[in-house]
Amino acid sequence: MFNLAIDSKLRGCDVVAIKVEDVAAGGHTADRATVRQKKTGHPVRFELTEQTRQAVNDYLKAANKKPGEFMFAGQRGPEHSMTRRQYARLVSEFGSVGLDLRLFGTHSLNSVTAVTCGPAD
């Protein structure tokens, strides 16, 4: 998840809304992906690094994800994406392992809770 967030520079609400087919059409992770931003409605095209592609492939296999499913399902079940609050907690824990989140200049990791993407989850 964090690899995708860093590569895409998407807001947290857009990262949690990524579906399998957004990054892995045909069962294989693409070199580039396109995701439509929730806030602006504009499509964002970004390149996935080799490390991210490998992580996504491993995750898809381990989680047995299928097209149409959210990459990161939340506690409400596989038909719902992870909430922004769940994502913010994970990012907070990510920072607690000694990484300085200020070094990551992305919407998706920096100031997650301050980003406005719609009604709170």
Side-chain angles (χ1 to χ4, degrees):
M1 176 187 308
F2 297 121
N3 288 10
L4 273 175
I6 291 167
D7 282 2
S8 68
K9 296 180 180 66
L10 290 168
R11 294 175 181 87
C13 63
D14 295 324
V15 171
V16 298
I18 292 175
K19 291 200 170 190
V20 171
E21 62 271 14
D22 292 335
V23 294
H28 298 288
T29 305
D31 292 342
R32 293 183 177 269
T34 303
V35 174
R36 186 168 299 278
Q37 290 183 9
K38 185 176 180 179
K39 184 175 179 179
T40 65
H42 293 109
V44 174
R45 188 163 170 87
F46 54 93
E47 186 172 339
L48 298 172
T49 62
E50 179 60 37
Q51 180 178 358
T52 299
R53 288 193 304 270
Q54 185 61 51
V56 168
N57 282 331
D58 293 346
Y59 174 72
L60 292 174
K61 187 181 291 185
N64 197 27
K65 292 289 186 176
K66 310 255 184 298
E69 295 180 344
F70 287 102
M71 284 286 294
F72 312 110
Q75 296 173 343
R76 299 178 291 170
E79 65 278 353
H80 297 283
S81 71
M82 176 183 292
T83 65
R84 291 181 307 158
R85 185 174 301 273
Q86 291 168 320
Y87 180 75
R89 283 188 198 122
L90 285 175
V91 171
S92 176
E93 290 171 16
F94 183 68
S96 71
V97 297
L99 297 173
D100 185 354
L101 294 178
R102 293 173 296 172
L103 298 177
F104 301 98
T106 68
H107 283 91
S108 48
L109 292 179
N110 197 6
S111 302
V112 171
T113 56
V115 175
T116 303
C117 293
D121 292 327

